[in-house]
Amino acid sequence: MRRVHVIVRGDVQGVGYRYTMRIEARAADVAGWVRNRRDGTVEAEVEGTPDQVDAVLAWMAGGPPGSRVDGAEVTELAPTGDHGFEVRDSA
């Protein structure tokens, strides 16, 4: 299993990024969460097989229609065994 922490920069708030990511994450059968941050970025943690995580990271690099992703900072984490994927309150 693989778990990553991701900070996505660009025009990623107010465009349905979090809710579309939840759909994509559930379709990929990964665990984790996503939320907006006060600095205008989107923060997420994603856990699954390496292929599942890579698929979600690939989606995150483009985002939903109407968004503009300028970059993403990905940090590897220790897997936690989480289940389910949620949209969290802004931080």
Side-chain angles (χ1 to χ4, degrees):
M1 297 299 282
R2 178 182 181 203
R3 186 176 189 94
V4 294
H5 177 261
V6 187
I7 303 290
V8 182
R9 301 184 190 294
D11 186 10
V12 292
Q13 289 192 11
V15 294
Y17 194 101
R18 294 172 300 149
Y19 293 98
T20 307
M21 182 174 172
R22 179 176 60 189
I23 292 166
E24 295 292 326
R26 288 178 175 175
D29 200 26
V30 297
W33 53 267
V34 61
R35 67 182 173 193
N36 284 341
R37 294 182 2 156
R38 289 187 192 100
D39 64 1
T41 62
V42 168
E43 177 181 28
E45 288 190 12
V46 180
E47 181 173 332
T49 67
D51 287 343
Q52 290 169 316
V53 172
D54 287 345
V56 173
L57 289 174
W59 179 87
M60 292 178 77
S67 69
R68 186 193 76 247
V69 176
D70 293 334
E73 178 184 324
V74 180
T75 305
E76 299 289 330
L77 300 173
T80 64
D82 279 351
H83 297 284
F85 195 91
E86 66 182 1
V87 175
R88 290 190 176 173
D89 291 336
S90 298

